[in-house]
């Protein structure tokens, strides 16, 4: 991709050399937000794309306007040279929540 990042499934190896989880498993991160900057260093315009946790749709925030990114166009919309700040979250391992709950009955899944 042109900007050098992807919308999902980025591995820790591509982000930070030598980053591995407990037991050496590969850490996988998913993008959930992108801040774009258009313009020069002393001026410009910012927009943001955010993944909605409620419905799983990407939205574009541009001043007072909010629009849903058309399904299938996410990668082309998000991965651009205007990307300024990227927000990733660690993808939970299979069974990680169950193991944490078993180890700590006060554990609450976010």
């Amino acid at each position: 991709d042109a900007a050098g990042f992807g919308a999902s499934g980025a591995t820790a190896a591509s982000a930070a050399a030598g980053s591995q989880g407990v037991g050496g498993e590969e850490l996988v991160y998913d993008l959930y937000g992108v801040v774009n900057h258009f313009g020069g260093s002393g001026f410009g315009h910012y927009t943001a794309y955010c993944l909605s946790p409620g419905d799983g749709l990407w939205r574009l925030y541009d001043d007072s306007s909010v629009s849903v990114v058309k399904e299938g166009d996410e990668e082309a919309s998000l991965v651009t040279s205007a990307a300024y700040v990227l927000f990733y979250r660690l993808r939970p391992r299979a069974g990680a929540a169950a193991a944490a709950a078993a180890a700590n009955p006060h554990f609450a899944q976010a």
Side-chain angles (χ1 to χ4, degrees):
D1 45 43
F5 67 93
S8 68
T11 63
S14 63
S19 296
Q20 293 183 333
V22 176
E25 80 272 8
E26 183 175 61
L27 300 177
V28 179
Y29 294 85
D30 293 312
L31 186 72
Y32 69 94
V34 177
V35 175
N36 296 301
H37 177 257
F38 303 94
S41 61
F43 65 94
H45 179 72
Y46 291 90
T47 63
Y49 287 100
C50 296
L51 182 62
S52 173
D55 58 16
L57 296 175
W58 282 95
R59 289 186 168 72
L60 169 63
Y61 297 84
D62 187 354
D63 292 333
S64 63
S65 173
V66 178
S67 58
V68 174
V69 177
K70 183 179 172 188
E71 215 170 316
D73 288 347
E74 297 91 352
E75 193 82 14
S77 296
L78 300 171
V79 182
T80 72
S81 60
Y84 183 67
V85 179
L86 307 175
F87 295 89
Y88 283 91
R89 75 169 54 100
L90 179 62
R91 183 182 293 175
R93 295 184 333 265
N104 182 356
H106 302 290
F107 174 76
Q109 179 69 25

